Amino acid sequence: MQQFNYFIPTRILFGAGKLGRLHEQELPGKRALIVTTGGKSVIKYGYLDRLKEQLDLAGVSYVIFNKILPNPIKEHVMEGALACRENDLDFVIGLGGGSSIDAAKAIAVMANNPGDYWDYVGGGSGKGLPVPNDPLPVVAITTTAGTGTEADPWTVTTKTDTNEKIGFGYDKTFPVLAVVDPELMVSVPPYLTACQGFDALFHSTEGYLNKTSYVMSDLYALTAIELIGKSLAKAVADGQDIQAREDVALANSLAGMVESTSGCISEHSLEHALSAYHHNLEHGAGLIAISREYYAFFARTGQCEQRMIDMAKALGRADATSSMDFVDALVELQKACGVDDIKLSEYGVTEEELPKCVQNARETMGGLFEVDPVELSDEDALAIYQKSFR
């Protein structure tokens, strides 16, 4: 008999033009903090102005906090939380990619709670304390298709003084409302479209291989993999292809639901360790760089053969009969997207630091190794890094 618990409480507005319907929704307050990055894209392409217009129509005032980095840091979480308290704000809006929305969730936690953010983070030097007060509500407006954070409770933050990049989240950090509008994604350049799309893919493939996977996570995972295999290369080749953007956006949100039902395995731990030391390394790029050797390791064990065949077929290899067919299909998609030759060395990673990265991965997010379908030792992890290094 199959038994499971299922909880995804986020209301999602999905589809082209949905940002223009935000003012019609029941928003969780009248005073908001808009969290976004220091980049120019949300201003250049008018997304921030469109959000302001919607908030004006809804009678919501706002304060803008635009300091978030591509890899959000604890200092900015604490600063954003202070802005919420000083301005007596009701809720937090994350506008942008995964970094902005992740940071919005962390800020929402600290806006209503004492101490330091790392008091509540588990893993590494985090104290793992229970969060005493409910976070502020979060509204997520995503302008990229990569992390699926609009449909999951997770937020990843870096503690810069110790080089720890750790995920955190619980039931109350789910966004209460998410807007997934593919029209906001047509401005993402090809390389970042690819990196973000592969992040969504790996959320799905890791979730499908995860020992905690079950019928609901499997449904989301295989559909997300299929959509990415069908349309990611098209979105990379032509950013104005709204149908391709829609497919990848949907895959991204489904991948977030995978994160909410099963979750990542050690591939994400291994990448987080790399970008914890090298903040310029895009998360998706780091995942792509290690992915071939990572999945080849599991393929060679023969312990998750059918699941890898399922993923290969979903990715477009209809005649798949072995685990390595998934690895081949993965590399083929990376070539089609022009990201099959990412060099970690170009981001400042050195071979000498790889053992340190293995240790970091184990110490900060070791829990993800525990849900791998096959045991991955430190020696195995180092070999994956070394074979991936260029």
Side-chain angles (χ1 to χ4, degrees):
M1 180 180 294
Q2 188 160 189
Q3 298 184 14
F4 59 83
N5 295 327
Y6 176 86
F7 181 69
I8 301 179
T10 304
R11 181 183 300 276
I12 297 176
L13 306 183
F14 183 93
K18 283 293 187 179
L19 178 57
R21 309 298 295 270
L22 180 65
H23 71 280
E24 300 173 0
Q25 307 306 306
E26 184 177 345
L27 297 175
K30 288 296 183 181
R31 299 179 302 278
L33 184 74
I34 300 175
V35 178
T36 188
T37 69
K40 300 177 181 178
S41 61
V42 296
I43 297 174
K44 177 180 178 181
Y45 298 106
Y47 305 150
L48 181 58
D49 283 343
R50 289 171 62 182
L51 172 58
K52 289 179 180 179
E53 179 183 7
Q54 290 296 306
L55 295 177
D56 290 341
L57 288 170
V60 173
S61 62
Y62 46 83
V63 174
I64 296 173
F65 186 76
N66 60 354
K67 297 185 178 181
I68 304 306
L69 301 174
N71 286 296
I73 62 174
K74 181 178 75 84
E75 292 86 345
H76 290 158
V77 168
M78 298 304 295
E79 189 176 345
L82 180 61
C84 286
R85 293 193 295 272
E86 288 181 339
N87 292 279
D88 192 26
L89 302 180
D90 302 320
F91 68 107
V92 183
I93 302 173
L95 172 67
S99 57
S100 296
I101 299 172
D102 275 18
K105 296 176 186 177
I107 288 170
V109 171
M110 293 313 301
N112 270 358
N113 284 287
D116 184 83
Y117 180 65
W118 230 247
D119 293 341
Y120 307 110
V121 170
S125 63
K127 296 180 181 179
L129 298 177
V131 182
N133 304 315
D134 287 356
L136 293 180
V138 172
V139 173
I141 303 173
T142 181
T143 62
T144 67
T147 67
T149 187
E150 71 275 6
D152 71 41
W154 308 114
T155 170
V156 178
T157 307
T158 297
K159 188 171 183 283
T160 55
D161 59 327
T162 55
N163 294 304
E164 296 173 281
K165 183 178 178 183
I166 302 179
F168 168 79
Y170 66 121
D171 281 358
K172 293 180 179 179
T173 50
F174 273 100
V176 297
L177 175 66
V179 178
V180 184
D181 186 339
E183 289 182 352
L184 307 185
M185 302 171 188
V186 297
S187 58
V188 181
Y191 179 72
L192 291 180
T193 295
C195 288
Q196 293 158 5
F198 275 100
D199 186 16
L201 175 66
F202 295 135
H203 285 162
S204 304
T205 55
E206 291 177 55
Y208 195 64
L209 294 180
N210 193 309
K211 288 196 296 190
T212 68
S213 65
Y214 66 103
V215 60
M216 299 303 293
S217 61
D218 287 353
L219 289 170
Y220 293 138
L222 290 176
T223 303
I225 294 167
E226 182 179 351
L227 288 166
I228 289 170
K230 171 187 173 186
S231 294
L232 180 58
K234 294 178 183 178
V236 171
D238 179 7
Q240 300 297 315
D241 184 337
I242 197 67
Q243 182 59 60
R245 289 288 190 186
E246 184 177 286
D247 286 348
V248 178
L250 178 55
N252 177 59
S253 294
L254 293 174
M257 295 176 188
V258 176
E259 289 288 278
S260 302
T261 47
S262 58
C264 289
I265 55 177
S266 60
E267 182 182 17
H268 263 67
S269 298
L270 294 175
E271 195 294 317
H272 283 174
L274 294 171
S275 51
Y277 291 106
H278 300 277
H279 301 167
N280 61 324
L281 175 60
E282 298 94 349
H283 177 52
L287 289 168
I288 292 167
I290 64 174
S291 62
R292 178 175 183 168
E293 296 301 334
Y294 182 83
Y295 288 97
F297 167 82
F298 289 108
R300 287 192 295 268
T301 68
Q303 297 301 303
C304 38
E305 184 88 359
Q306 187 56 55
R307 294 230 146 204
M308 295 191 75
I309 292 172
D310 293 344
M311 294 193 305
K313 290 180 176 179
L315 205 55
R317 188 66 65 92
D319 59 350
T321 58
S322 74
S323 294
M324 284 304 296
D325 285 328
F326 171 73
V327 180
D328 292 342
L330 175 63
V331 173
E332 184 178 313
L333 182 59
Q334 290 172 355
K335 289 179 178 177
C337 293
V339 291
D340 57 308
D341 193 31
I342 290 175
K343 297 179 175 62
L344 291 173
S345 58
E346 292 182 353
Y347 289 92
V349 181
T350 66
E351 285 192 86
E352 290 72 24
E353 69 183 310
L354 295 178
K356 176 179 69 174
C357 291
V358 172
Q359 182 180 3
N360 181 293
R362 187 74 68 172
E363 291 178 352
T364 59
M365 295 191 71
L368 299 191
F369 288 85
E370 296 176 7
V371 290
D372 282 338
V374 180
E375 181 180 359
L376 184 74
S377 69
D378 288 352
E379 292 74 19
D380 296 327
L382 180 58
I384 288 170
Y385 274 150
Q386 289 171 335
K387 292 176 181 178
S388 303
F389 187 80
R390 285 181 287 194

